[in-house]
Amino acid sequence: MEITRRAAFVTAGGLAVAGLAACSNAGSPGPAAGPGATPTAGGGAPGPGVPTGAPAPAPVVPGPGPDRTSVTIVGHRGAAGYRPEHTVASYSLAARFGVDAVDVDLCPTRDGHLVARHEPEIGGTTDVALHPEFASRRTTKVIDSTPTEGWFTVDFTLAELKTLRAVERIPATRPHNTLYDRRYGILTLDEVLDTLDGLSRELGRRVGVLPEVKHSTFHRSIGLPVEPALVDTLRRRGLAADPHVIIQSFETANLKELRTQVGCPLLQLIDAAGVAPADLVAAGDHRTFDDLVTPAGLREIAGYATWIGPTKERVIGPTGTPTSLLADARAVGLRTMPYTFRNENEFLPAPLRRGEHPGQPPEAAPRSTYGDAFGEYARYRALGIEGLFSDNGDTAVAAWAG
């Protein structure tokens, strides 16, 4: 049975159940899609809602869980499983799949504009290496204590970046996506918001946005902080207190500062075990993300954020046993949105990986082979997670609609 998506964000947490929502008129109108960005639409689903109940006891057995209204589905970099990420095609496809919002990573240009790129290094996501005029821009920068070689948004003006085209970031895993290489340009934050405005009008529902501040400490250290331009854009477009906008970051100090500047919800991203937020490292604070997910750490996060966005392995461990994180977060009023759900074998737990053909072992299958993604979603659905990031929004929507 086809389910129609008619939902909007409500309350300070964003993304909860509502009736048919009027599309936002904030900001200037813009195109809903670019060339080749009108793929076959995926099935829709009801809107998200406020979760209730406690996590199921371990082990999780796949089975009926909360209905679709209990989860916020975010298209990770749009529909990155099907189109080069952070392109108009990727965002448009995700919206038509029925996701509630799209995730937009933000990096600054040399002249202070914000562009949608996963990282400031763009050698892997654009065709910059094919431009001889930019060969001399290749360099090495130390970002969050890690030397990285390539081309960086901060060394280009917006006009220069506009001469580049997007390419598939992981072509060995997603060779079919390379069909769309060099078809789409680099988008500014305003262009992304214009695209979402157009999609909201077209689809008759609000498509939200989760801007992520990338490498706050690094960009601030070189005089190109992301946060002021982000806040200015949101204020100019009337979105600074909009629950359809959830600002995210792996760092902590910037979110605490943003809490005083905007009224929209904030999401504290939580990286893998043993990793530390760059701002804490720079400040000589020896805490890691492991400390942030203790009851004391979560209480601190609850003082400035509405959501946490942990790696999905922090919610269900490698053995398939749920951790206490979901319950601990709920105990202090936080909602949990784990990342990143993907269909391919390499991103799934070993028991859920599949061969390309019956009887073929998973390790012999091409990297593009899909595993039992629905089996993974079922585990998290049984726990009642409040949100999730997915590269394959159609699969996520179907997992909760079924």
Side-chain angles (χ1 to χ4, degrees), residues 129-177:
L130 301 179
H131 288 251
E133 68 272 26
F134 298 135
S136 64
R137 306 280 179 92
R138 187 178 180 92
T139 186
T140 298
K141 296 184 187 294
V142 178
I143 300 177
D144 300 348
S145 305
T146 302
T148 304
E149 184 180 2
W151 291 265
F152 298 84
T153 62
V154 296
D155 294 329
F156 291 78
T157 64
L158 178 60
E160 290 172 330
L161 287 178
K162 283 293 188 180
T163 67
L164 306 180
R165 309 299 284 176
V167 300
E168 171 56 40
R169 184 177 61 88
I170 47 175
T173 301
R174 293 172 175 165
H176 295 92
N177 294 6

Short mmCIF file of all heavy atoms in Angstrom, two decimals, residues 129-177:
data_model
loop_
_atom_site.label_atom_id
_atom_site.label_comp_id
_atom_site.label_asym_id
_atom_site.label_seq_id
_atom_site.Cartn_x
_atom_site.Cartn_y
_atom_site.Cartn_z
N ALA A 129 41.38 17.47 -10.18
CA ALA A 129 42.64 16.94 -10.68
C ALA A 129 42.73 17.01 -12.20
O ALA A 129 43.84 16.93 -12.76
CB ALA A 129 42.82 15.50 -10.22
N LEU A 130 41.60 17.18 -12.87
CA LEU A 130 41.59 17.27 -14.33
C LEU A 130 41.77 18.70 -14.82
O LEU A 130 41.79 18.94 -16.03
CB LEU A 130 40.28 16.71 -14.88
CG LEU A 130 39.98 15.24 -14.55
CD1 LEU A 130 38.63 14.83 -15.14
CD2 LEU A 130 41.09 14.33 -15.03
N HIS A 131 41.89 19.65 -13.90
CA HIS A 131 42.03 21.06 -14.25
C HIS A 131 43.49 21.48 -14.11
O HIS A 131 43.96 21.76 -13.00
CB HIS A 131 41.15 21.92 -13.34
CG HIS A 131 39.68 21.79 -13.62
ND1 HIS A 131 38.94 22.79 -14.21
CD2 HIS A 131 38.82 20.77 -13.39
CE1 HIS A 131 37.68 22.40 -14.32
NE2 HIS A 131 37.59 21.18 -13.83
N PRO A 132 44.23 21.57 -15.21
CA PRO A 132 45.65 21.94 -15.11
C PRO A 132 45.87 23.32 -14.51
O PRO A 132 46.92 23.57 -13.91
CB PRO A 132 46.14 21.87 -16.56
CG PRO A 132 44.90 21.95 -17.40
CD PRO A 132 43.82 21.31 -16.61
N GLU A 133 44.87 24.19 -14.65
CA GLU A 133 45.04 25.54 -14.09
C GLU A 133 45.10 25.54 -12.57
O GLU A 133 45.52 26.52 -11.95
CB GLU A 133 43.90 26.46 -14.58
CG GLU A 133 42.51 26.13 -14.05
CD GLU A 133 41.76 25.11 -14.88
OE1 GLU A 133 42.42 24.30 -15.58
OE2 GLU A 133 40.51 25.11 -14.84
N PHE A 134 44.67 24.41 -11.95
CA PHE A 134 44.68 24.33 -10.49
C PHE A 134 45.72 23.34 -9.97
O PHE A 134 45.74 23.02 -8.77
CB PHE A 134 43.30 23.93 -9.96
CG PHE A 134 42.22 24.92 -10.28
CD1 PHE A 134 40.98 24.48 -10.76
CD2 PHE A 134 42.42 26.29 -10.11
CE1 PHE A 134 39.97 25.39 -11.05
CE2 PHE A 134 41.42 27.20 -10.42
CZ PHE A 134 40.19 26.75 -10.89
N ALA A 135 46.59 22.86 -10.83
CA ALA A 135 47.59 21.87 -10.41
C ALA A 135 48.46 22.40 -9.28
O ALA A 135 48.82 21.66 -8.35
CB ALA A 135 48.45 21.45 -11.60
N SER A 136 48.80 23.68 -9.33
CA SER A 136 49.68 24.26 -8.31
C SER A 136 49.00 24.43 -6.96
O SER A 136 49.66 24.69 -5.95
CB SER A 136 50.20 25.62 -8.77
OG SER A 136 49.13 26.55 -8.92
N ARG A 137 47.69 24.25 -6.91
CA ARG A 137 46.95 24.39 -5.63
C ARG A 137 47.07 23.13 -4.77
O ARG A 137 46.68 23.14 -3.61
CB ARG A 137 45.47 24.67 -5.88
CG ARG A 137 45.17 25.87 -6.79
CD ARG A 137 45.28 27.20 -6.07
NE ARG A 137 45.02 28.28 -7.02
CZ ARG A 137 43.82 28.82 -7.24
NH1 ARG A 137 42.76 28.39 -6.57
NH2 ARG A 137 43.68 29.79 -8.13
N ARG A 138 47.53 22.04 -5.35
CA ARG A 138 47.66 20.81 -4.57
C ARG A 138 48.67 21.03 -3.45
O ARG A 138 49.78 21.53 -3.68
CB ARG A 138 48.10 19.65 -5.45
CG ARG A 138 48.11 18.30 -4.74
CD ARG A 138 48.52 17.17 -5.69
NE ARG A 138 48.52 15.88 -4.99
CZ ARG A 138 47.49 15.06 -4.94
NH1 ARG A 138 46.36 15.38 -5.56
NH2 ARG A 138 47.57 13.91 -4.28
N THR A 139 48.30 20.68 -2.25
CA THR A 139 49.14 20.96 -1.10
C THR A 139 48.81 19.99 0.02
O THR A 139 47.96 19.11 -0.12
CB THR A 139 48.93 22.42 -0.63
OG1 THR A 139 49.86 22.73 0.41
CG2 THR A 139 47.51 22.62 -0.09
N THR A 140 49.48 20.15 1.15
CA THR A 140 49.20 19.34 2.34
C THR A 140 48.84 20.27 3.49
O THR A 140 49.54 21.25 3.75
CB THR A 140 50.41 18.48 2.74
OG1 THR A 140 50.71 17.56 1.68
CG2 THR A 140 50.13 17.69 4.01
N LYS A 141 47.74 19.96 4.15
CA LYS A 141 47.32 20.73 5.32
C LYS A 141 47.11 19.77 6.49
O LYS A 141 46.72 18.61 6.30
CB LYS A 141 46.01 21.49 5.05
CG LYS A 141 46.13 22.55 3.97
CD LYS A 141 44.82 23.33 3.83
CE LYS A 141 44.88 24.29 2.64
NZ LYS A 141 45.87 25.36 2.83
N VAL A 142 47.39 20.26 7.68
CA VAL A 142 47.14 19.47 8.89
C VAL A 142 45.78 19.87 9.43
O VAL A 142 45.59 20.99 9.88
CB VAL A 142 48.24 19.69 9.94
CG1 VAL A 142 47.93 18.89 11.21
CG2 VAL A 142 49.60 19.30 9.38
N ILE A 143 44.84 18.94 9.37
CA ILE A 143 43.47 19.19 9.82
C ILE A 143 43.17 18.24 10.98
O ILE A 143 43.25 17.02 10.83
CB ILE A 143 42.45 18.98 8.68
CG1 ILE A 143 42.77 19.94 7.52
CG2 ILE A 143 41.03 19.19 9.17
CD1 ILE A 143 41.87 19.77 6.33
N ASP A 144 42.88 18.81 12.11
CA ASP A 144 42.60 18.02 13.31
C ASP A 144 43.72 17.02 13.57
O ASP A 144 43.50 15.81 13.79
CB ASP A 144 41.26 17.29 13.19
CG ASP A 144 40.09 18.24 13.01
OD1 ASP A 144 40.28 19.46 13.22
OD2 ASP A 144 39.00 17.77 12.65
N SER A 145 44.95 17.51 13.50
CA SER A 145 46.17 16.75 13.80
C SER A 145 46.55 15.73 12.73
O SER A 145 47.52 14.98 12.91
CB SER A 145 46.05 16.04 15.16
OG SER A 145 45.75 16.95 16.19
N THR A 146 45.82 15.70 11.62
CA THR A 146 46.09 14.71 10.58
C THR A 146 46.54 15.40 9.29
O THR A 146 45.79 16.20 8.73
CB THR A 146 44.85 13.87 10.29
OG1 THR A 146 44.43 13.22 11.49
CG2 THR A 146 45.13 12.82 9.23
N PRO A 147 47.76 15.11 8.79
CA PRO A 147 48.18 15.68 7.51
C PRO A 147 47.34 15.12 6.37
O PRO A 147 47.13 13.91 6.27
CB PRO A 147 49.64 15.23 7.39
CG PRO A 147 50.05 14.83 8.77
CD PRO A 147 48.81 14.30 9.42
N THR A 148 46.84 16.01 5.53
CA THR A 148 45.99 15.61 4.41
C THR A 148 46.49 16.30 3.15
O THR A 148 46.70 17.52 3.14
CB THR A 148 44.53 16.00 4.66
OG1 THR A 148 44.09 15.42 5.89
CG2 THR A 148 43.63 15.54 3.53
N GLU A 149 46.69 15.52 2.10
CA GLU A 149 47.18 16.07 0.84
C GLU A 149 46.04 16.17 -0.17
O GLU A 149 45.18 15.30 -0.25
CB GLU A 149 48.29 15.19 0.26
CG GLU A 149 48.92 15.75 -1.01
CD GLU A 149 50.01 14.86 -1.57
OE1 GLU A 149 50.26 13.79 -0.97
OE2 GLU A 149 50.60 15.23 -2.61
N GLY A 150 46.03 17.25 -0.93
CA GLY A 150 45.03 17.40 -1.97
C GLY A 150 44.74 18.85 -2.28
O GLY A 150 45.61 19.72 -2.13
N TRP A 151 43.52 19.10 -2.69
CA TRP A 151 43.04 20.44 -2.98
C TRP A 151 41.96 20.80 -1.96
O TRP A 151 41.13 19.94 -1.61
CB TRP A 151 42.43 20.50 -4.38
CG TRP A 151 43.40 20.35 -5.51
CD1 TRP A 151 44.01 21.35 -6.21
CD2 TRP A 151 43.86 19.13 -6.10
NE1 TRP A 151 44.81 20.83 -7.19
CE2 TRP A 151 44.74 19.47 -7.16
CE3 TRP A 151 43.59 17.78 -5.85
CZ2 TRP A 151 45.36 18.51 -7.95
CZ3 TRP A 151 44.21 16.82 -6.62
CH2 TRP A 151 45.08 17.19 -7.66
N PHE A 152 41.94 22.04 -1.50
CA PHE A 152 41.07 22.41 -0.38
C PHE A 152 40.19 23.60 -0.74
O PHE A 152 40.65 24.55 -1.40
CB PHE A 152 41.93 22.74 0.85
CG PHE A 152 42.74 21.57 1.33
CD1 PHE A 152 43.98 21.29 0.75
CD2 PHE A 152 42.27 20.75 2.33
CE1 PHE A 152 44.73 20.19 1.17
CE2 PHE A 152 43.01 19.66 2.77
CZ PHE A 152 44.24 19.37 2.19
N THR A 153 38.96 23.56 -0.29
CA THR A 153 38.02 24.64 -0.60
C THR A 153 38.57 25.99 -0.16
O THR A 153 38.30 27.01 -0.81
CB THR A 153 36.67 24.41 0.09
OG1 THR A 153 36.83 24.40 1.52
CG2 THR A 153 36.03 23.12 -0.38
N VAL A 154 39.31 26.02 0.93
CA VAL A 154 39.80 27.29 1.47
C VAL A 154 40.84 27.95 0.58
O VAL A 154 41.21 29.11 0.80
CB VAL A 154 40.36 27.11 2.90
CG1 VAL A 154 39.25 26.68 3.85
CG2 VAL A 154 41.51 26.10 2.91
N ASP A 155 41.34 27.24 -0.42
CA ASP A 155 42.32 27.80 -1.36
C ASP A 155 41.68 28.22 -2.68
O ASP A 155 42.39 28.58 -3.62
CB ASP A 155 43.43 26.77 -1.63
CG ASP A 155 44.26 26.48 -0.39
OD1 ASP A 155 44.42 27.39 0.44
OD2 ASP A 155 44.76 25.34 -0.26
N PHE A 156 40.36 28.17 -2.75
CA PHE A 156 39.64 28.51 -3.97
C PHE A 156 38.58 29.57 -3.68
O PHE A 156 37.95 29.55 -2.61
CB PHE A 156 38.92 27.28 -4.55
CG PHE A 156 39.83 26.24 -5.11
CD1 PHE A 156 40.50 25.36 -4.27
CD2 PHE A 156 40.02 26.13 -6.48
CE1 PHE A 156 41.34 24.38 -4.79
CE2 PHE A 156 40.85 25.15 -7.01
CZ PHE A 156 41.52 24.28 -6.16
N THR A 157 38.38 30.47 -4.63
CA THR A 157 37.22 31.36 -4.53
C THR A 157 35.98 30.58 -4.97
O THR A 157 36.08 29.52 -5.60
CB THR A 157 37.38 32.58 -5.44
OG1 THR A 157 37.41 32.14 -6.81
CG2 THR A 157 38.66 33.35 -5.12
N LEU A 158 34.83 31.12 -4.66
CA LEU A 158 33.60 30.47 -5.09
C LEU A 158 33.55 30.39 -6.61
O LEU A 158 33.15 29.35 -7.18
CB LEU A 158 32.38 31.22 -4.56
CG LEU A 158 31.03 30.65 -4.99
CD1 LEU A 158 30.86 29.22 -4.54
CD2 LEU A 158 29.89 31.53 -4.47
N ALA A 159 33.96 31.45 -7.28
CA ALA A 159 33.93 31.44 -8.75
C ALA A 159 34.80 30.32 -9.31
O ALA A 159 34.45 29.67 -10.29
CB ALA A 159 34.40 32.79 -9.28
N GLU A 160 35.94 30.07 -8.68
CA GLU A 160 36.81 28.99 -9.15
C GLU A 160 36.18 27.62 -8.89
O GLU A 160 36.22 26.73 -9.74
CB GLU A 160 38.17 29.08 -8.45
CG GLU A 160 39.00 30.27 -8.92
CD GLU A 160 40.25 30.48 -8.10
OE1 GLU A 160 40.25 30.13 -6.89
OE2 GLU A 160 41.25 30.98 -8.65
N LEU A 161 35.56 27.45 -7.72
CA LEU A 161 34.91 26.18 -7.42
C LEU A 161 33.76 25.90 -8.36
O LEU A 161 33.45 24.74 -8.67
CB LEU A 161 34.41 26.16 -5.97
CG LEU A 161 35.48 26.04 -4.88
CD1 LEU A 161 34.83 26.09 -3.50
CD2 LEU A 161 36.28 24.75 -5.03
N LYS A 162 33.13 26.96 -8.85
CA LYS A 162 32.01 26.79 -9.76
C LYS A 162 32.44 26.24 -11.13
O LYS A 162 31.60 25.82 -11.92
CB LYS A 162 31.26 28.11 -9.94
CG LYS A 162 30.37 28.48 -8.76
CD LYS A 162 29.21 27.51 -8.62
CE LYS A 162 28.20 27.94 -7.59
NZ LYS A 162 27.07 26.97 -7.49
N THR A 163 33.73 26.22 -11.39
CA THR A 163 34.21 25.63 -12.64
C THR A 163 34.42 24.12 -12.52
O THR A 163 34.71 23.45 -13.51
CB THR A 163 35.53 26.28 -13.10
OG1 THR A 163 36.58 25.94 -12.17
CG2 THR A 163 35.40 27.79 -13.19
N LEU A 164 34.30 23.59 -11.29
CA LEU A 164 34.51 22.17 -11.04
C LEU A 164 33.19 21.41 -11.10
O LEU A 164 32.11 22.00 -10.99
CB LEU A 164 35.16 21.95 -9.67
CG LEU A 164 36.45 22.71 -9.38
CD1 LEU A 164 36.95 22.38 -7.99
CD2 LEU A 164 37.51 22.41 -10.43
N ARG A 165 33.29 20.09 -11.25
CA ARG A 165 32.11 19.24 -11.28
C ARG A 165 32.28 18.12 -10.25
O ARG A 165 33.40 17.67 -9.96
CB ARG A 165 31.91 18.63 -12.67
CG ARG A 165 31.94 19.61 -13.80
CD ARG A 165 30.84 20.66 -13.70
NE ARG A 165 29.53 20.10 -14.09
CZ ARG A 165 28.40 20.79 -14.01
NH1 ARG A 165 28.40 22.03 -13.53
NH2 ARG A 165 27.27 20.23 -14.41
N ALA A 166 31.16 17.68 -9.70
CA ALA A 166 31.18 16.66 -8.66
C ALA A 166 31.39 15.27 -9.26
O ALA A 166 30.94 14.98 -10.37
CB ALA A 166 29.89 16.70 -7.87
N VAL A 167 32.07 14.39 -8.49
CA VAL A 167 32.26 13.00 -8.88
C VAL A 167 31.94 12.09 -7.69
O VAL A 167 31.91 12.54 -6.54
CB VAL A 167 33.69 12.71 -9.38
CG1 VAL A 167 34.03 13.58 -10.58
CG2 VAL A 167 34.72 12.92 -8.26
N GLU A 168 31.74 10.82 -7.97
CA GLU A 168 31.45 9.83 -6.92
C GLU A 168 32.65 9.68 -5.99
O GLU A 168 33.79 9.49 -6.44
CB GLU A 168 31.10 8.48 -7.55
CG GLU A 168 31.00 7.33 -6.59
CD GLU A 168 30.00 7.56 -5.46
OE1 GLU A 168 28.91 8.13 -5.73
OE2 GLU A 168 30.31 7.17 -4.32
N ARG A 169 32.41 9.74 -4.67
CA ARG A 169 33.50 9.70 -3.69
C ARG A 169 34.09 8.30 -3.51
O ARG A 169 35.30 8.16 -3.25
CB ARG A 169 32.98 10.21 -2.34
CG ARG A 169 34.04 10.32 -1.24
CD ARG A 169 33.47 10.90 0.03
NE ARG A 169 32.41 10.07 0.57
CZ ARG A 169 32.59 9.06 1.41
NH1 ARG A 169 33.82 8.75 1.80
NH2 ARG A 169 31.58 8.35 1.87
N ILE A 170 33.25 7.24 -3.61
CA ILE A 170 33.76 5.89 -3.41
C ILE A 170 33.42 5.03 -4.64
O ILE A 170 32.57 4.14 -4.60
CB ILE A 170 33.20 5.26 -2.12
CG1 ILE A 170 31.68 5.45 -1.99
CG2 ILE A 170 33.91 5.82 -0.90
CD1 ILE A 170 31.08 4.73 -0.78
N PRO A 171 34.09 5.29 -5.76
CA PRO A 171 33.75 4.62 -7.02
C PRO A 171 33.95 3.12 -6.99
O PRO A 171 33.25 2.39 -7.71
CB PRO A 171 34.67 5.29 -8.04
CG PRO A 171 35.81 5.83 -7.23
CD PRO A 171 35.20 6.25 -5.93
N ALA A 172 34.89 2.61 -6.18
CA ALA A 172 35.10 1.17 -6.13
C ALA A 172 33.90 0.46 -5.52
O ALA A 172 33.58 -0.68 -5.88
CB ALA A 172 36.35 0.84 -5.32
N THR A 173 33.22 1.12 -4.59
CA THR A 173 32.03 0.56 -3.95
C THR A 173 30.77 0.88 -4.73
O THR A 173 29.83 0.08 -4.78
CB THR A 173 31.90 1.09 -2.51
OG1 THR A 173 33.07 0.74 -1.78
CG2 THR A 173 30.68 0.53 -1.81
N ARG A 174 30.73 2.04 -5.36
CA ARG A 174 29.54 2.49 -6.07
C ARG A 174 29.87 2.84 -7.53
O ARG A 174 29.75 3.99 -7.96
CB ARG A 174 28.93 3.68 -5.34
CG ARG A 174 28.38 3.28 -3.97
CD ARG A 174 27.94 4.45 -3.12
NE ARG A 174 27.32 3.93 -1.90
CZ ARG A 174 27.07 4.66 -0.81
NH1 ARG A 174 27.40 5.95 -0.80
NH2 ARG A 174 26.51 4.11 0.24
N PRO A 175 30.31 1.83 -8.31
CA PRO A 175 30.69 2.12 -9.69
C PRO A 175 29.54 2.63 -10.53
O PRO A 175 29.76 3.39 -11.48
CB PRO A 175 31.21 0.76 -10.20
CG PRO A 175 30.56 -0.26 -9.31
CD PRO A 175 30.48 0.40 -7.96
N HIS A 176 28.31 2.23 -10.22
CA HIS A 176 27.18 2.69 -11.01
C HIS A 176 26.96 4.20 -10.87
O HIS A 176 26.44 4.85 -11.78
CB HIS A 176 25.90 1.94 -10.61
CG HIS A 176 25.95 0.48 -10.92
ND1 HIS A 176 26.39 -0.47 -10.02
CD2 HIS A 176 25.63 -0.21 -12.06
CE1 HIS A 176 26.32 -1.67 -10.58
NE2 HIS A 176 25.87 -1.53 -11.81
N ASN A 177 27.38 4.75 -9.73
CA ASN A 177 27.21 6.20 -9.53
C ASN A 177 28.15 7.02 -10.40
O ASN A 177 27.91 8.20 -10.63
CB ASN A 177 27.45 6.56 -8.06
CG ASN A 177 26.39 5.98 -7.13
OD1 ASN A 177 25.54 5.20 -7.56
ND2 ASN A 177 26.45 6.35 -5.87
#
